[in-house]
């Protein structure tokens, strides 16, 4: 398992609430130095930060309580790349239909819980040509929809009447959860966006040993 050495600039995963371990596992499967981030000082020297899925109201309160909102703004100004998955995308959006935005760093509008209740969660596959040659499995869990992208924001994956993934030069947002599938494609894509070397992973970007319970393999985390 990789450990981040000061100055080596790995990728952090915001560790306040939500799907943290699954992102760390995927980054490590790619040979990327990865670490959880609970405090502002732990942002130092990271090349990128993933804001995971979870519950965006809860996450935004915890960000404020721990002063991590200010710290993320500052680190972003200093060059940190950001990726928000699901609730993370909601936190990064400049506009949030009917709600106050949180970090507001990427010029998109999100519509929270736009698919309905938890029971309306679903899985599917789609092709995102910028990210991988093969269709990528997607897991939507009480997801938002991206309903507008501003100038300078590129659509990475469009699905019918909504946008599922988008990016600008510094920020990636996905409304689904690549960390809950065997596909490493989006993690590889983000690592490259951060300028971080990806040491392993086959061309298809799939971990053949992954199971839905992989994150419960505690021997792996020691
Ligand atoms: N529905 C959640 C919210 O609005 C997001 C769900 C998720 O991150 N999977 O915060």
């Amino acid at each position: 398992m990789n450990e981040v050495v000061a100055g080596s600039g790995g990728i952090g995963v915001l560790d306040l609430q939500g799907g943290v371990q699954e992102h760390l596992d995927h980054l490590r499967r790619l040979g990327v130095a990865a670490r959880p981030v609970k405090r502002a000082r732990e942002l130092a020297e990271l090349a990128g930060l993933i804001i995971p899925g979870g519950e965006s109201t809860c996450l935004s309160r915890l960000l404020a309580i721990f002063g991590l909102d200010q710290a993320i703004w500052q680190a972003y100004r200093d060059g940190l790349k950001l990726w928000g998955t699901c609730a993370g995308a909601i936190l990064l959006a400049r506009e949030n239909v009917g709600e106050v935005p949180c970090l507001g760093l990427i010029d998109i509008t999100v519509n929270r819980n736009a698919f309905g209740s938890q029971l309306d969660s679903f899985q599917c596959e789609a092709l995102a040509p910028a990210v991988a040659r093969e269709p990528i499995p997607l897991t939507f869990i009480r997801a938002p929809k991206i309903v507008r992208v501003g100038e300078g924001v590129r659509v990475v994956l469009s699905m019918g009447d909504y946008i599922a993934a988008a990016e600008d030069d510094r920020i990636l947002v996905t409304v689904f959860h690549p960390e809950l599938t065997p596909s490493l494609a989006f993690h590889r894509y983000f690592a490259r966006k951060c300028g971080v070397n990806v040491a392993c992973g086959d061309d298809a970007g799939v971990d053949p040993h992954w199971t839905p319970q992989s994150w419960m393999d505690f021997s792996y985390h020691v």
Side-chain angles (χ1 to χ4, degrees), residues 136-157:
I136 300 172
L138 307 172
T139 299
F140 293 73
I141 304 174
R142 211 177 183 205
K145 290 182 178 180
I146 300 170
V147 293
R148 180 197 66 88
V149 296
E151 225 174 283
V153 179
R154 300 175 291 277
V155 173
V156 174
L157 178 56

Side-chain angles (χ1 to χ4, degrees), residues 53-56 86-87 90 112-113 141-142 177:
E55 212 288 320
S56 53
C86 204
I90 295 171
R112 192 179 170 196
N113 298 331
I141 304 174
R142 211 177 183 205
H177 291 264

Side-chain angles (χ1 to χ4, degrees), residues 17-19 51-59 85-91 96 99 111-114 116 118 121 139-144 174-177 179-180:
Q17 186 263 336
I51 304 182
E55 212 288 320
S56 53
T57 307
C58 173
L59 278 164
T85 52
C86 204
I90 295 171
L91 296 180
N96 185 353
E99 298 195 29
N111 190 5
R112 192 179 170 196
N113 298 331
Q118 195 80 359
S121 301
T139 299
F140 293 73
I141 304 174
R142 211 177 183 205
T174 58
V175 302
F176 47 84
H177 291 264
E179 77 284 8
L180 298 181

